Amino acid sequence: MVKIMSSQTSEFKPTETSLKKNKTMDPELKQIMAKIANTIRGLSMDAVQKADSGHPGLPMGCAELGAYLYGYYLKQNPKDSKWLNRDRFILSAGHGSMWLYSCLHLAGYKISLDDIKHFRQLHSPTPGHPESFMTDGVETTTGPLGQGVGNAVGQALGFKLLAAKFNTEKQKIFNNKVFVLMGDGCVMEGVSAEVSSLAGHLKLDNLVAIYDANHITLDGPLAESCSEDTKARYRAYGWDVYEIDGNDLDAIDAVFTQIRQHQERPCLVIAHTIIGKGAPNKAGTYKVHGSPLGPEEIKAAKEALGIPQDEFYIPQAVINYFQNKLPQDAQEEDKWKQTFEAWARDNPEKLKELETMLHNKLPDDLESKLKQLAIKAPIAGRKASQEAINLLADMLPQLYGGSADLSTSDMTMMKKFPLVAPGQFQGRNIKYGVREFGMATMATGLYQTGMIIPYIGTFLTFSDYMRNAIRLAALQNAHVIYQFTHDSIFLGEDGPTHQPVEHYAALRAIPQLQVIRPADTHEVKMAWIAALQYKGPTALILSRQNLPDLAETDVSYADGVGRGAYIVKQEKGKPDFTLIATGSELSLAMNVADTLERLGKHVRVISMPCWDLFEKQSIEYKDSLFGGDIGRRVSIEAGVDLGWHKYIGRDGVAICMERFGASAPAGVLAKEYGFTVEDILERIL
């Protein structure tokens, strides 16, 4: 079965007839592909059964697709899994991980048969869902459905950006494609709609999504919860849509040959498969989705498929095929290397820029250049950050920015560089539209090209839309920078729907996410150094309202923000109070301290822009700030107090938000919620 649903605006419109004219696969190749497919089924059944946990349905249903892609089609070199111009493959339906592990093992990646046998076991490189930081050949961590589609769109866009920057008429060093396998769940998750819409708008002709349309979800038949016309939806996005029998090798070959030769826009291949294909009693039902088949069903399935009953059986013919294929894969990379070497000789300046991006090289004078940047205060944190961004843009070719339709508010625009647009990928500013979740998944994909450090912006309260993508970025240490603005109730009249109160705590709760809330232009500049140096994601939390500069924060990165917390006002005697503040509340803390000193009190003030950096300091340094009797401890931050008592103790006072905000001018809200010098003195004296 082969049908084509081509986007109405496509100049090239493949037809069912044109595909039928393609000759069928070479019989010998088809025979070995069938053997590989059944080997994938056997390994997956056995691994899930041995673990007594997992999802055998997708691996069995998509076995022909795996055999064809990893056994024939993908341009990869398993012995150099980080080859820059390799085709990328993402399993968005990450629950089917044994499909991917089987394919990677057979293809020659660093996954042994013993690793397959230890599926889902502690410290095994074959965990329950694919993890990019654990397993050779896995391009991104997946599991929460739909996000792999976003990562794929981000990677595809990233390679279009790199091709526009580095390819020449004479040499094309970036011409790879990005493939993603998604299931019914991925199609239903809203994030896939966000990114698919943008991919169609940008006409990403290096992106191929394969939809495992097995019509079964975990709870039962898809028809019980979904009856949409997915073909029409993707055509409306501007994609070319192909529909095939996903278990028919001839149909698979015909479509993918067509795509390799003629792709002009994103392609969706709807592959109708039978979930759990080969299992005589459970195939085609939800019972094979997320549970082991059981010994009797496996025995019957192997008999039906003609697979020996031996556990983890791999035919010698399959082993020989992949061993013979490995030198061909290496030759593919060698040909590219020859092209690259010729390109490097012809383009020494481009080579220098490529190496800067590939290794994320930061200038030796980064800090001094930022310190020399004149920013007139008082100024909003978001505007100070934009000034820093526009300086950094000239220094760091790896920096690409974007916003979810808020660039004039979150101040993310690189003013010297154009917008990315359909067919125009020379720019460095990406308009993601009102698609916060999709934007965050795509940013992770941009980073995964290995050459781009993306930053993306929106209001802090909308980080909730992005949260699961931020979490996955943190899980795999993706170097993404989030510019979150409008950071407190002091944004004013937009009211509680836009005023974050729980968001500092919510973001700080994510392991490996570096959260920084700078107090003025000095700390904003140093926060960017922290974000660029950290090998993981950073959330920059920035104000909408103007903030004064404090002379006390004008210190080196190593003595200030780089410490996470540092003293900005030293007590003159034994402290009566220690005030700890972040962001816009630091200047308030300094004013409170001045008033206390006029009352004869000794006061220490600590700026604490980044808890994460502080926790990495030595015990001696931590004690120099918080050790011993330092008087009554008071935290001042316009958010919930969750987490602050670690630093202020049970008896400390948290000047915080205990409820949602309100719609009113910032000054009125400060008085209403106790963020004035007078109110704080009343609380602590």
PDB file of all heavy atoms in Angstrom, residues 596-627:
ATOM      1  N   LEU A 596      18.387  50.309  59.277  1.00  0.00           N
ATOM      2  CA  LEU A 596      18.748  49.589  60.499  1.00  0.00           C
ATOM      3  C   LEU A 596      20.028  50.147  61.113  1.00  0.00           C
ATOM      4  O   LEU A 596      20.143  50.271  62.349  1.00  0.00           O
ATOM      5  CB  LEU A 596      18.903  48.092  60.201  1.00  0.00           C
ATOM      6  CG  LEU A 596      17.612  47.296  59.979  1.00  0.00           C
ATOM      7  CD1 LEU A 596      17.925  45.908  59.447  1.00  0.00           C
ATOM      8  CD2 LEU A 596      16.804  47.195  61.281  1.00  0.00           C
ATOM      9  N   GLU A 597      20.978  50.475  60.270  1.00  0.00           N
ATOM     10  CA  GLU A 597      22.227  51.028  60.791  1.00  0.00           C
ATOM     11  C   GLU A 597      21.996  52.380  61.457  1.00  0.00           C
ATOM     12  O   GLU A 597      22.630  52.709  62.473  1.00  0.00           O
ATOM     13  CB  GLU A 597      23.268  51.135  59.670  1.00  0.00           C
ATOM     14  CG  GLU A 597      23.853  49.780  59.276  1.00  0.00           C
ATOM     15  CD  GLU A 597      24.962  49.890  58.245  1.00  0.00           C
ATOM     16  OE1 GLU A 597      24.992  50.899  57.515  1.00  0.00           O
ATOM     17  OE2 GLU A 597      25.796  48.972  58.185  1.00  0.00           O
ATOM     18  N   ARG A 598      21.094  53.170  60.901  1.00  0.00           N
ATOM     19  CA  ARG A 598      20.766  54.450  61.535  1.00  0.00           C
ATOM     20  C   ARG A 598      20.089  54.238  62.889  1.00  0.00           C
ATOM     21  O   ARG A 598      20.121  55.121  63.762  1.00  0.00           O
ATOM     22  CB  ARG A 598      19.867  55.282  60.622  1.00  0.00           C
ATOM     23  CG  ARG A 598      20.605  55.849  59.412  1.00  0.00           C
ATOM     24  CD  ARG A 598      19.812  56.967  58.739  1.00  0.00           C
ATOM     25  NE  ARG A 598      18.568  56.499  58.143  1.00  0.00           N
ATOM     26  CZ  ARG A 598      18.463  56.037  56.905  1.00  0.00           C
ATOM     27  NH1 ARG A 598      19.549  55.959  56.124  1.00  0.00           N
ATOM     28  NH2 ARG A 598      17.294  55.644  56.442  1.00  0.00           N
ATOM     29  N   LEU A 599      19.526  53.046  63.058  1.00  0.00           N
ATOM     30  CA  LEU A 599      18.921  52.691  64.343  1.00  0.00           C
ATOM     31  C   LEU A 599      19.920  52.016  65.279  1.00  0.00           C
ATOM     32  O   LEU A 599      19.544  51.494  66.334  1.00  0.00           O
ATOM     33  CB  LEU A 599      17.721  51.758  64.113  1.00  0.00           C
ATOM     34  CG  LEU A 599      16.527  52.365  63.361  1.00  0.00           C
ATOM     35  CD1 LEU A 599      15.491  51.292  63.059  1.00  0.00           C
ATOM     36  CD2 LEU A 599      15.901  53.498  64.165  1.00  0.00           C
ATOM     37  N   GLY A 600      21.194  51.979  64.842  1.00  0.00           N
ATOM     38  CA  GLY A 600      22.246  51.430  65.694  1.00  0.00           C
ATOM     39  C   GLY A 600      22.464  49.939  65.561  1.00  0.00           C
ATOM     40  O   GLY A 600      23.154  49.328  66.390  1.00  0.00           O
ATOM     41  N   LYS A 601      21.925  49.328  64.530  1.00  0.00           N
ATOM     42  CA  LYS A 601      22.080  47.893  64.329  1.00  0.00           C
ATOM     43  C   LYS A 601      23.243  47.601  63.380  1.00  0.00           C
ATOM     44  O   LYS A 601      23.594  48.420  62.531  1.00  0.00           O
ATOM     45  CB  LYS A 601      20.794  47.289  63.744  1.00  0.00           C
ATOM     46  CG  LYS A 601      19.534  47.573  64.560  1.00  0.00           C
ATOM     47  CD  LYS A 601      19.588  46.941  65.935  1.00  0.00           C
ATOM     48  CE  LYS A 601      18.281  47.178  66.690  1.00  0.00           C
ATOM     49  NZ  LYS A 601      18.333  46.589  68.070  1.00  0.00           N
ATOM     50  N   HIS A 602      23.838  46.419  63.557  1.00  0.00           N
ATOM     51  CA  HIS A 602      24.883  45.957  62.646  1.00  0.00           C
ATOM     52  C   HIS A 602      24.255  44.975  61.658  1.00  0.00           C
ATOM     53  O   HIS A 602      23.582  44.022  62.067  1.00  0.00           O
ATOM     54  CB  HIS A 602      26.016  45.285  63.417  1.00  0.00           C
ATOM     55  CG  HIS A 602      26.699  46.209  64.382  1.00  0.00           C
ATOM     56  ND1 HIS A 602      27.315  47.369  64.003  1.00  0.00           N
ATOM     57  CD2 HIS A 602      26.838  46.134  65.746  1.00  0.00           C
ATOM     58  CE1 HIS A 602      27.821  47.979  65.054  1.00  0.00           C
ATOM     59  NE2 HIS A 602      27.537  47.254  66.132  1.00  0.00           N
ATOM     60  N   VAL A 603      24.507  45.201  60.367  1.00  0.00           N
ATOM     61  CA  VAL A 603      23.772  44.458  59.342  1.00  0.00           C
ATOM     62  C   VAL A 603      24.721  43.934  58.261  1.00  0.00           C
ATOM     63  O   VAL A 603      25.594  44.665  57.779  1.00  0.00           O
ATOM     64  CB  VAL A 603      22.695  45.341  58.673  1.00  0.00           C
ATOM     65  CG1 VAL A 603      21.849  44.510  57.709  1.00  0.00           C
ATOM     66  CG2 VAL A 603      21.813  46.010  59.713  1.00  0.00           C
ATOM     67  N   ARG A 604      24.545  42.692  57.924  1.00  0.00           N
ATOM     68  CA  ARG A 604      25.213  42.086  56.761  1.00  0.00           C
ATOM     69  C   ARG A 604      24.166  41.904  55.671  1.00  0.00           C
ATOM     70  O   ARG A 604      23.048  41.464  55.947  1.00  0.00           O
ATOM     71  CB  ARG A 604      25.820  40.730  57.124  1.00  0.00           C
ATOM     72  CG  ARG A 604      26.450  39.983  55.946  1.00  0.00           C
ATOM     73  CD  ARG A 604      26.945  38.595  56.351  1.00  0.00           C
ATOM     74  NE  ARG A 604      27.977  38.679  57.375  1.00  0.00           N
ATOM     75  CZ  ARG A 604      28.615  37.612  57.893  1.00  0.00           C
ATOM     76  NH1 ARG A 604      28.285  36.397  57.471  1.00  0.00           N
ATOM     77  NH2 ARG A 604      29.526  37.774  58.820  1.00  0.00           N
ATOM     78  N   VAL A 605      24.541  42.231  54.425  1.00  0.00           N
ATOM     79  CA  VAL A 605      23.642  41.998  53.292  1.00  0.00           C
ATOM     80  C   VAL A 605      24.335  41.069  52.310  1.00  0.00           C
ATOM     81  O   VAL A 605      25.496  41.299  51.931  1.00  0.00           O
ATOM     82  CB  VAL A 605      23.243  43.306  52.588  1.00  0.00           C
ATOM     83  CG1 VAL A 605      22.297  43.007  51.412  1.00  0.00           C
ATOM     84  CG2 VAL A 605      22.573  44.267  53.562  1.00  0.00           C
ATOM     85  N   ILE A 606      23.625  40.028  51.923  1.00  0.00           N
ATOM     86  CA  ILE A 606      24.147  39.035  50.976  1.00  0.00           C
ATOM     87  C   ILE A 606      23.298  39.065  49.716  1.00  0.00           C
ATOM     88  O   ILE A 606      22.066  38.969  49.785  1.00  0.00           O
ATOM     89  CB  ILE A 606      24.125  37.619  51.590  1.00  0.00           C
ATOM     90  CG1 ILE A 606      25.062  37.539  52.799  1.00  0.00           C
ATOM     91  CG2 ILE A 606      24.496  36.566  50.541  1.00  0.00           C
ATOM     92  CD1 ILE A 606      24.934  36.234  53.578  1.00  0.00           C
ATOM     93  N   SER A 607      23.949  39.217  48.582  1.00  0.00           N
ATOM     94  CA  SER A 607      23.274  39.004  47.295  1.00  0.00           C
ATOM     95  C   SER A 607      23.402  37.528  46.955  1.00  0.00           C
ATOM     96  O   SER A 607      24.498  36.963  47.010  1.00  0.00           O
ATOM     97  CB  SER A 607      23.916  39.855  46.200  1.00  0.00           C
ATOM     98  OG  SER A 607      23.328  39.556  44.944  1.00  0.00           O
ATOM     99  N   MET A 608      22.293  36.912  46.617  1.00  0.00           N
ATOM    100  CA  MET A 608      22.303  35.470  46.341  1.00  0.00           C
ATOM    101  C   MET A 608      21.628  35.175  45.009  1.00  0.00           C
ATOM    102  O   MET A 608      20.559  34.565  44.945  1.00  0.00           O
ATOM    103  CB  MET A 608      21.617  34.703  47.473  1.00  0.00           C
ATOM    104  CG  MET A 608      21.958  33.232  47.508  1.00  0.00           C
ATOM    105  SD  MET A 608      21.365  32.464  49.026  1.00  0.00           S
ATOM    106  CE  MET A 608      22.065  30.813  48.842  1.00  0.00           C
ATOM    107  N   PRO A 609      22.249  35.591  43.905  1.00  0.00           N
ATOM    108  CA  PRO A 609      21.589  35.439  42.602  1.00  0.00           C
ATOM    109  C   PRO A 609      21.434  34.002  42.134  1.00  0.00           C
ATOM    110  O   PRO A 609      20.550  33.708  41.338  1.00  0.00           O
ATOM    111  CB  PRO A 609      22.493  36.219  41.655  1.00  0.00           C
ATOM    112  CG  PRO A 609      23.834  36.214  42.325  1.00  0.00           C
ATOM    113  CD  PRO A 609      23.547  36.271  43.796  1.00  0.00           C
ATOM    114  N   CYS A 610      22.275  33.085  42.644  1.00  0.00           N
ATOM    115  CA  CYS A 610      22.217  31.709  42.119  1.00  0.00           C
ATOM    116  C   CYS A 610      22.498  30.693  43.215  1.00  0.00           C
ATOM    117  O   CYS A 610      23.642  30.513  43.642  1.00  0.00           O
ATOM    118  CB  CYS A 610      23.214  31.536  40.972  1.00  0.00           C
ATOM    119  SG  CYS A 610      23.139  29.903  40.210  1.00  0.00           S
ATOM    120  N   TRP A 611      21.463  30.026  43.675  1.00  0.00           N
ATOM    121  CA  TRP A 611      21.620  28.994  44.691  1.00  0.00           C
ATOM    122  C   TRP A 611      22.525  27.864  44.197  1.00  0.00           C
ATOM    123  O   TRP A 611      23.326  27.318  44.955  1.00  0.00           O
ATOM    124  CB  TRP A 611      20.259  28.410  45.073  1.00  0.00           C
ATOM    125  CG  TRP A 611      19.327  29.349  45.755  1.00  0.00           C
ATOM    126  CD1 TRP A 611      19.435  30.709  45.857  1.00  0.00           C
ATOM    127  CD2 TRP A 611      18.121  28.997  46.429  1.00  0.00           C
ATOM    128  NE1 TRP A 611      18.374  31.225  46.545  1.00  0.00           N
ATOM    129  CE2 TRP A 611      17.547  30.205  46.909  1.00  0.00           C
ATOM    130  CE3 TRP A 611      17.462  27.802  46.661  1.00  0.00           C
ATOM    131  CZ2 TRP A 611      16.350  30.220  47.626  1.00  0.00           C
ATOM    132  CZ3 TRP A 611      16.264  27.817  47.367  1.00  0.00           C
ATOM    133  CH2 TRP A 611      15.705  29.002  47.846  1.00  0.00           C
ATOM    134  N   ASP A 612      22.376  27.507  42.929  1.00  0.00           N
ATOM    135  CA  ASP A 612      23.128  26.364  42.395  1.00  0.00           C
ATOM    136  C   ASP A 612      24.629  26.617  42.471  1.00  0.00           C
ATOM    137  O   ASP A 612      25.399  25.745  42.891  1.00  0.00           O
ATOM    138  CB  ASP A 612      22.735  26.117  40.935  1.00  0.00           C
ATOM    139  CG  ASP A 612      21.235  26.001  40.752  1.00  0.00           C
ATOM    140  OD1 ASP A 612      20.594  27.050  40.558  1.00  0.00           O
ATOM    141  OD2 ASP A 612      20.723  24.879  40.816  1.00  0.00           O
ATOM    142  N   LEU A 613      25.070  27.794  42.055  1.00  0.00           N
ATOM    143  CA  LEU A 613      26.490  28.120  42.115  1.00  0.00           C
ATOM    144  C   LEU A 613      26.974  28.185  43.560  1.00  0.00           C
ATOM    145  O   LEU A 613      28.098  27.759  43.872  1.00  0.00           O
ATOM    146  CB  LEU A 613      26.755  29.449  41.406  1.00  0.00           C
ATOM    147  CG  LEU A 613      26.764  29.396  39.876  1.00  0.00           C
ATOM    148  CD1 LEU A 613      26.783  30.799  39.284  1.00  0.00           C
ATOM    149  CD2 LEU A 613      27.966  28.597  39.375  1.00  0.00           C
ATOM    150  N   PHE A 614      26.143  28.697  44.450  1.00  0.00           N
ATOM    151  CA  PHE A 614      26.548  28.760  45.853  1.00  0.00           C
ATOM    152  C   PHE A 614      26.764  27.366  46.423  1.00  0.00           C
ATOM    153  O   PHE A 614      27.727  27.123  47.159  1.00  0.00           O
ATOM    154  CB  PHE A 614      25.502  29.507  46.677  1.00  0.00           C
ATOM    155  CG  PHE A 614      25.842  29.558  48.139  1.00  0.00           C
ATOM    156  CD1 PHE A 614      26.894  30.339  48.598  1.00  0.00           C
ATOM    157  CD2 PHE A 614      25.117  28.819  49.057  1.00  0.00           C
ATOM    158  CE1 PHE A 614      27.223  30.375  49.947  1.00  0.00           C
ATOM    159  CE2 PHE A 614      25.432  28.842  50.407  1.00  0.00           C
ATOM    160  CZ  PHE A 614      26.490  29.625  50.858  1.00  0.00           C
ATOM    161  N   GLU A 615      25.894  26.423  46.078  1.00  0.00           N
ATOM    162  CA  GLU A 615      26.016  25.073  46.635  1.00  0.00           C
ATOM    163  C   GLU A 615      27.272  24.356  46.144  1.00  0.00           C
ATOM    164  O   GLU A 615      27.693  23.366  46.749  1.00  0.00           O
ATOM    165  CB  GLU A 615      24.772  24.256  46.304  1.00  0.00           C
ATOM    166  CG  GLU A 615      23.525  24.698  47.049  1.00  0.00           C
ATOM    167  CD  GLU A 615      23.665  24.606  48.560  1.00  0.00           C
ATOM    168  OE1 GLU A 615      24.441  23.751  49.048  1.00  0.00           O
ATOM    169  OE2 GLU A 615      23.017  25.396  49.268  1.00  0.00           O
ATOM    170  N   LYS A 616      27.894  24.862  45.090  1.00  0.00           N
ATOM    171  CA  LYS A 616      29.135  24.258  44.582  1.00  0.00           C
ATOM    172  C   LYS A 616      30.386  24.831  45.252  1.00  0.00           C
ATOM    173  O   LYS A 616      31.497  24.375  44.974  1.00  0.00           O
ATOM    174  CB  LYS A 616      29.216  24.465  43.066  1.00  0.00           C
ATOM    175  CG  LYS A 616      28.144  23.717  42.288  1.00  0.00           C
ATOM    176  CD  LYS A 616      28.178  24.041  40.803  1.00  0.00           C
ATOM    177  CE  LYS A 616      27.060  23.306  40.065  1.00  0.00           C
ATOM    178  NZ  LYS A 616      26.984  23.668  38.635  1.00  0.00           N
ATOM    179  N   GLN A 617      30.216  25.821  46.126  1.00  0.00           N
ATOM    180  CA  GLN A 617      31.359  26.435  46.782  1.00  0.00           C
ATOM    181  C   GLN A 617      31.871  25.550  47.922  1.00  0.00           C
ATOM    182  O   GLN A 617      31.194  24.635  48.386  1.00  0.00           O
ATOM    183  CB  GLN A 617      30.985  27.818  47.310  1.00  0.00           C
ATOM    184  CG  GLN A 617      30.427  28.769  46.263  1.00  0.00           C
ATOM    185  CD  GLN A 617      31.339  28.927  45.071  1.00  0.00           C
ATOM    186  OE1 GLN A 617      32.513  29.261  45.214  1.00  0.00           O
ATOM    187  NE2 GLN A 617      30.801  28.682  43.874  1.00  0.00           N
ATOM    188  N   SER A 618      33.057  25.867  48.393  1.00  0.00           N
ATOM    189  CA  SER A 618      33.660  25.111  49.493  1.00  0.00           C
ATOM    190  C   SER A 618      32.886  25.346  50.792  1.00  0.00           C
ATOM    191  O   SER A 618      32.188  26.367  50.948  1.00  0.00           O
ATOM    192  CB  SER A 618      35.109  25.542  49.688  1.00  0.00           C
ATOM    193  OG  SER A 618      35.172  26.895  50.136  1.00  0.00           O
ATOM    194  N   ILE A 619      33.047  24.419  51.721  1.00  0.00           N
ATOM    195  CA  ILE A 619      32.411  24.572  53.028  1.00  0.00           C
ATOM    196  C   ILE A 619      32.917  25.836  53.706  1.00  0.00           C
ATOM    197  O   ILE A 619      32.159  26.571  54.354  1.00  0.00           O
ATOM    198  CB  ILE A 619      32.686  23.331  53.904  1.00  0.00           C
ATOM    199  CG1 ILE A 619      31.983  22.102  53.308  1.00  0.00           C
ATOM    200  CG2 ILE A 619      32.237  23.569  55.334  1.00  0.00           C
ATOM    201  CD1 ILE A 619      32.287  20.811  54.033  1.00  0.00           C
ATOM    202  N   GLU A 620      34.224  26.112  53.534  1.00  0.00           N
ATOM    203  CA  GLU A 620      34.809  27.291  54.160  1.00  0.00           C
ATOM    204  C   GLU A 620      34.139  28.565  53.647  1.00  0.00           C
ATOM    205  O   GLU A 620      33.837  29.479  54.431  1.00  0.00           O
ATOM    206  CB  GLU A 620      36.315  27.336  53.891  1.00  0.00           C
ATOM    207  CG  GLU A 620      37.128  26.257  54.574  1.00  0.00           C
ATOM    208  CD  GLU A 620      36.994  24.891  53.917  1.00  0.00           C
ATOM    209  OE1 GLU A 620      36.535  24.830  52.736  1.00  0.00           O
ATOM    210  OE2 GLU A 620      37.340  23.887  54.569  1.00  0.00           O
ATOM    211  N   TYR A 621      33.909  28.627  52.332  1.00  0.00           N
ATOM    212  CA  TYR A 621      33.275  29.824  51.786  1.00  0.00           C
ATOM    213  C   TYR A 621      31.835  29.939  52.274  1.00  0.00           C
ATOM    214  O   TYR A 621      31.381  31.025  52.661  1.00  0.00           O
ATOM    215  CB  TYR A 621      33.318  29.826  50.260  1.00  0.00           C
ATOM    216  CG  TYR A 621      32.674  31.075  49.686  1.00  0.00           C
ATOM    217  CD1 TYR A 621      33.350  32.288  49.715  1.00  0.00           C
ATOM    218  CD2 TYR A 621      31.374  31.056  49.178  1.00  0.00           C
ATOM    219  CE1 TYR A 621      32.752  33.453  49.239  1.00  0.00           C
ATOM    220  CE2 TYR A 621      30.773  32.211  48.697  1.00  0.00           C
ATOM    221  CZ  TYR A 621      31.469  33.401  48.727  1.00  0.00           C
ATOM    222  OH  TYR A 621      30.878  34.550  48.267  1.00  0.00           O
ATOM    223  N   LYS A 622      31.112  28.823  52.270  1.00  0.00           N
ATOM    224  CA  LYS A 622      29.720  28.863  52.733  1.00  0.00           C
ATOM    225  C   LYS A 622      29.644  29.347  54.181  1.00  0.00           C
ATOM    226  O   LYS A 622      28.773  30.157  54.546  1.00  0.00           O
ATOM    227  CB  LYS A 622      29.086  27.480  52.605  1.00  0.00           C
ATOM    228  CG  LYS A 622      28.872  27.014  51.169  1.00  0.00           C
ATOM    229  CD  LYS A 622      28.301  25.606  51.154  1.00  0.00           C
ATOM    230  CE  LYS A 622      28.137  25.074  49.738  1.00  0.00           C
ATOM    231  NZ  LYS A 622      27.634  23.690  49.720  1.00  0.00           N
ATOM    232  N   ASP A 623      30.580  28.853  55.002  1.00  0.00           N
ATOM    233  CA  ASP A 623      30.591  29.262  56.406  1.00  0.00           C
ATOM    234  C   ASP A 623      30.923  30.740  56.560  1.00  0.00           C
ATOM    235  O   ASP A 623      30.476  31.390  57.515  1.00  0.00           O
ATOM    236  CB  ASP A 623      31.592  28.419  57.196  1.00  0.00           C
ATOM    237  CG  ASP A 623      31.080  27.003  57.449  1.00  0.00           C
ATOM    238  OD1 ASP A 623      29.867  26.777  57.271  1.00  0.00           O
ATOM    239  OD2 ASP A 623      31.892  26.142  57.820  1.00  0.00           O
ATOM    240  N   SER A 624      31.724  31.276  55.636  1.00  0.00           N
ATOM    241  CA  SER A 624      32.081  32.696  55.733  1.00  0.00           C
ATOM    242  C   SER A 624      30.868  33.592  55.518  1.00  0.00           C
ATOM    243  O   SER A 624      30.870  34.753  55.947  1.00  0.00           O
ATOM    244  CB  SER A 624      33.178  33.039  54.715  1.00  0.00           C
ATOM    245  OG  SER A 624      32.663  33.072  53.385  1.00  0.00           O
ATOM    246  N   LEU A 625      29.843  33.069  54.880  1.00  0.00           N
ATOM    247  CA  LEU A 625      28.616  33.842  54.673  1.00  0.00           C
ATOM    248  C   LEU A 625      27.560  33.522  55.719  1.00  0.00           C
ATOM    249  O   LEU A 625      26.940  34.427  56.290  1.00  0.00           O
ATOM    250  CB  LEU A 625      28.041  33.575  53.277  1.00  0.00           C
ATOM    251  CG  LEU A 625      28.457  34.525  52.147  1.00  0.00           C
ATOM    252  CD1 LEU A 625      29.959  34.447  51.903  1.00  0.00           C
ATOM    253  CD2 LEU A 625      27.689  34.208  50.873  1.00  0.00           C
ATOM    254  N   PHE A 626      27.354  32.219  55.990  1.00  0.00           N
ATOM    255  CA  PHE A 626      26.224  31.803  56.802  1.00  0.00           C
ATOM    256  C   PHE A 626      26.617  31.110  58.104  1.00  0.00           C
ATOM    257  O   PHE A 626      25.738  30.737  58.882  1.00  0.00           O
ATOM    258  CB  PHE A 626      25.326  30.864  55.992  1.00  0.00           C
ATOM    259  CG  PHE A 626      24.612  31.527  54.847  1.00  0.00           C
ATOM    260  CD1 PHE A 626      25.020  31.341  53.539  1.00  0.00           C
ATOM    261  CD2 PHE A 626      23.530  32.351  55.080  1.00  0.00           C
ATOM    262  CE1 PHE A 626      24.372  31.949  52.484  1.00  0.00           C
ATOM    263  CE2 PHE A 626      22.849  32.969  54.038  1.00  0.00           C
ATOM    264  CZ  PHE A 626      23.279  32.777  52.730  1.00  0.00           C
ATOM    265  N   GLY A 627      27.896  30.934  58.339  1.00  0.00           N
ATOM    266  CA  GLY A 627      28.311  30.221  59.538  1.00  0.00           C
ATOM    267  C   GLY A 627      28.266  31.078  60.785  1.00  0.00           C
ATOM    268  O   GLY A 627      28.383  32.307  60.734  1.00  0.00           O
TER     269      GLY A 627
END
